[in-house]
Amino acid sequence: MTFVDFLNLLISALLLAGTYAAMAIGMTVIYGVMKIVNLAHAGFLMLGAYFVYELHERAGLHPLLGVLLAFPAFYVVGVLVHWALGRGVPVSDKPTLASLLLMFGLWLVLQNIGYLVWGTDDRAILTPMTFATIRFGEITIPKIGLVVFASAVISLAALEFVLHRTWFGRSIRALIQNRYSCRIVGIPVERTARRTFGLGIAFAGAAGGLLALLYPFSPDFGRPFLLRSFVIIVLGGLESFSGVFVGSLILALVETFSIFIVPSSYQPAISFSLLVVALIVLPGGVAGFAARMRSRRAE
Amino acid sequence: MAALLSVEGLTKRFSGLAALDQVSFEIREGEIVGLIGPNGAGKTTLFSIIAGSQPPTSGKILFEGRDFTRVKPFRAVHAGIARTHQIPQPFLSMTVRENVEVGLRFGRDPGGARNLVKEVTEILELVGIASLENMAAVTLSVGDLKRLELARTLATRPRLLLCDEVCAGLTECEMQSILGLLRRIQALGTTIIYVEHNLRAILSTCHHVIVLNFGKKLAEGPPETMQNDPAVIEAYIGKKA
Amino acid sequence: MSAAERSPGLAARPLAVLPPLILLGLLAALPLLNLGANSVKVLFLTFVSIAASVGWNILGGFAGQVSFGFAVFYGLGAYTTAVGINEGLNPYLTYPLAGAVAALASLLVGLPTFRLRGPYFAIATIGVSEATRVVMTNLEFTGGASGYRITEHVPFRQLEHYFTGLMLAALAVGLSIIVRRSRFGLGLRAIRDDQDAAADSGVNPYALKLGAHAIAAALTAAAGGVYARYAAFIDPEGVFGFPRGVGILLMPVIGGVNTIWGPVIGGGVYGVIEEELVARFPQLHLLLYGVLVMLIILFEPGGVVGLLQRTRRFVLRRREASWQPS
């Protein structure tokens, strides 16, 4: 591997990491506040892809505009779903069997809707950007990768702003820490949870749209990305936002560079192997690891 | 007499903040020891560490002379350390009887030919909820849940019982009956460490009192002495002007 | 009077084993009726499903640890039996072998994931399922994605398969009853209710979960093995695919998790749904199952068994009310 090859790979890994972060953050938000592992995440990623696709095909809308529209559209969907599931969404602080299965059922339904509407064929969103590249000397960057990365970063920055500068964001962060105390200090727990669910689904939809710019998709599109999202949030420590970035970076780097070691037919097994390694080596994720290191240094 | 439990220099930090700071004490077999201190003094944290639910940052715990510092909770139970929780944690899908059975069959003395039915009944009678034996745990009142919590714990046949505020939220009358119960348990040969806010409850029940404040051991001694110790009074009421 | 008879803990205990035994006898005698080959096949497949469903329930129901990845054990069992038979082993020896292989595999999954709390285990099972399927799709000595054929030099006797399936299902139910009534089963229930409280009562959650996982895996693998011998041809997509794992999870959920008979009923109901609805509306099967799961979780988490119990209570109450109007 030459140095240029290495740089090219490194850059594509970084670009991928940005998209991964946007993909996984929705799941983290929902897990953090509601302790629900949102298995339907995969379904919403898939719907997001088709949402952007349809707007592009039928209305001729620019895919990035489609991604932007996906935020409000899927926010509404998320709030409606949360409302419809009502009492099925748990109130406890522990992840429950019921919520896991409920979300799983929702995923099956969404997937079937995908098959009914769009069939089993692979689709792709093709724009003039799709195959364009930008060259810096010997380094080539796919233009689409750069655009998707930029969109992901902007949306994450917006989320960061919401979380730290608005009352809604502060309530979310407080809820992640302690639901009980939130009730005491007067945070409207139910309403915040509903909006958080909407927020998480909004990010899932938009991230699905972004991923659709990079990969072809079918109604089963979400499953491999669901697993990747899991790996990322487990690496990140489940509830930590900064952990998501680190987790995305690790996954993207491992996936990108493992092509030298692992035959490509085994690629789908990589994210799982990483998951197991993470579980054994870093229980509590990178965030937990960092905390342990800090407390050790404090000794 | 050798100590049943000795705690040496126990420290627990949560991201730098010390919940326990160099706490040392010894518990002799057969005593009821009161553990008092204002909110946030570290009483529950201390219990968690002794029972193995949390690891200490540093320090040592010896139970019957053996090192029990980072022992798993169920191993602590097998050795004879059992705790009750401030908020009872019953097995909600089980009946009262089944709740107690878990402790008997997995506790310090799990095996052997024995009469489970009779043993469960004895424990339920001791804590006074024998009439509820076939009720689902979900349906119990707060007071009965506290008794069930005690029964569940006693079922593991502890040598050292860690009681965390068994009287909080109970009426005076219920409290008196629970205190009587603790004395009876102690008379049956179990050593008890008893966390309590209510000073009167401590004074009437304990042989020895340990006072914690902000994670440090402030004082220890017989209850009458503690009652008049200026440091203790200051911690509880504030400095005299 | 009838209310008193039905209340638990009365003399009915020794008689409780009778209905299952009668059912078993009826099923064993059923082939005497000269059923068509297709009916026998449907029944055989139902027995296999029930064995896997009952297996899953020991972990997912009794211990409350949801796994989406039981296809791994089903597939491992199928391949172990297939390779074993082709290597000349007696088929009936390959089933326990399949169980042992799967029990070992279950440790590999459980050792890292059961140590942690929270949803790690459930999450990891999806990953395990995917990874195993990928590996099996690429494994050359079993033919990779194109599948693996079993060649037996004995004539195909459908009834032999029928009885093997029936025995396996009966074994699974028997094991499930034993586990449920044992000290081990009590510990699993405690873990399901509250893992911390269980540990505070002296239960070793880690060891018990590993044990339940191993038993469940072994039963599921035996089911996979029995199925493989019947099918005589298996491929990774069929036995290791994610839908297989989903199916194994759906059966106990439909019938009623954490009960003895729920997974059995669920296995039967699932078979009927597959035959009647999915075969008729194949393009809707995910939707059907998805909606079913959501309805069950939202309205009757006890599944079919829960529904029956609720109906019975309702009827009893009506009857009591009509006796003593107040």
Side-chain angles (χ1 to χ4, degrees), chain A residues 263-269, chain C residues 131-146 236:
Chain A
S264 63
S265 52
Y266 283 96
Q267 280 287 327
Chain C
T132 318
R133 188 181 54 80
V134 168
V135 170
M136 289 308 291
T137 315
N138 291 290
L139 202 63
E140 277 184 19
F141 104 99
T142 55
S146 46

Side-chain angles (χ1 to χ4, degrees), chain A residues 39-114:
Chain A
L39 290 174
H41 193 71
F44 289 110
L45 284 174
M46 179 270 295
L47 285 186
Y50 281 104
F51 178 81
V52 174
Y53 171 82
E54 287 294 333
L55 284 181
H56 179 62
E57 289 285 304
R58 285 174 201 254
L61 219 59
H62 191 279
L64 287 181
L65 203 56
V67 170
L68 193 64
L69 285 177
F71 278 105
F74 280 83
Y75 176 81
V76 173
V77 171
V79 168
L80 285 178
V81 166
H82 189 276
W83 171 78
L85 297 183
R87 61 176 174 165
V89 183
V91 280
S92 80
D93 269 5
K94 286 180 183 165
T96 60
L97 194 143
S99 70
L100 206 61
L101 289 173
L102 193 64
M103 289 305 160
F104 175 67
L106 183 58
W107 176 24
L108 293 183
V109 170
L110 294 178
Q111 204 176 336
N112 205 143
I113 291 174

Side-chain angles (χ1 to χ4, degrees), chain B residues 24 48 56 77-78 84 100 102 129 145 147 154 166 175 209 234:
Chain B
S24 303
S48 293
V77 172
H78 294 168
T84 71
V100 176
V102 175
I129 49 174
L145 278 177
R147 285 167 187 276
L154 286 175
V166 274
M175 187 179 98
V209 174
E234 187 189 319

